[in-house]
Amino acid sequence: MYRKVIFPVDLSHIDQLTKALATAADLAKHYGAEICYVGVTGAAPAPGAHNPEEYAKKLANFAAEQAAAHGVSVSSKACISPDPSIDTDKTLLAAITELGGDLVVMQTHAPSALDYIWAGHGDTIAAHSDVSVFLVR
């Protein structure tokens, strides 16, 4: 049913992704699907990486760790955005289409009052993606 699972990942919040990572791995095993870990970074130096190449390497290492931990086929894609603080959703939606993903699994948080004013990334991806989106709390 699913061939490619897209997993948006923020490398600065790995410790908060445990449940969603396990869910994605379980679904990938069940369907024999590949998981593509997608991250968005800027061209300028940031706390997580000094440049896009370093970020891409860290993301690829993370994907390899997930493959070893869960026994699934993985890939990674680092997307460069002029301003990740405002372009992340648009960049992720473009990557989902470009990569041919047919399921997105992503971590979300419990809704708060601010979510009624500004939608979270998961809300936006679910509302605007052409593929199924599984939000994990």
Side-chain angles (χ1 to χ4, degrees):
M1 177 176 223
Y2 299 111
R3 296 174 294 103
K4 185 173 273 190
V5 177
I6 305 297
F7 191 100
V9 60
D10 181 344
L11 293 176
S12 64
H13 297 291
I14 297 296
D15 59 325
Q16 299 170 17
L17 302 177
T18 306
K19 191 173 179 183
L21 289 168
T23 300
D26 186 55
L27 288 166
K29 285 180 192 176
H30 181 79
Y31 291 108
E34 171 191 343
I35 302 174
C36 183
Y37 298 96
V38 177
V40 179
T41 189
H50 296 95
N51 55 54
E53 294 78 20
E54 181 182 352
Y55 180 83
K57 184 179 251 186
K58 286 183 176 187
L59 186 61
N61 288 340
F62 172 77
E65 290 168 4
Q66 292 303 304
H70 297 288
V72 294
S73 175
V74 303
S75 61
S76 64
K77 176 165 180 63
C79 301
I80 290 68
S81 167
D83 188 353
S85 66
I86 61 169
D87 288 341
T88 295
D89 296 334
K90 181 176 73 172
T91 304
L92 288 173
L93 287 165
I96 292 163
T97 301
E98 175 190 333
L99 294 166
D102 47 15
L103 175 65
V104 176
V105 176
M106 58 191 304
Q107 187 76 40
T108 189
H109 58 277
S112 68
L114 283 178
D115 290 315
Y116 293 101
I117 300 168
W118 292 287
H121 297 298
D123 295 340
T124 302
I125 299 302
H128 298 286
S129 179
D130 293 333
V131 303
S132 296
V133 178
F134 189 140
L135 298 176
V136 180
R137 259 197 208 134

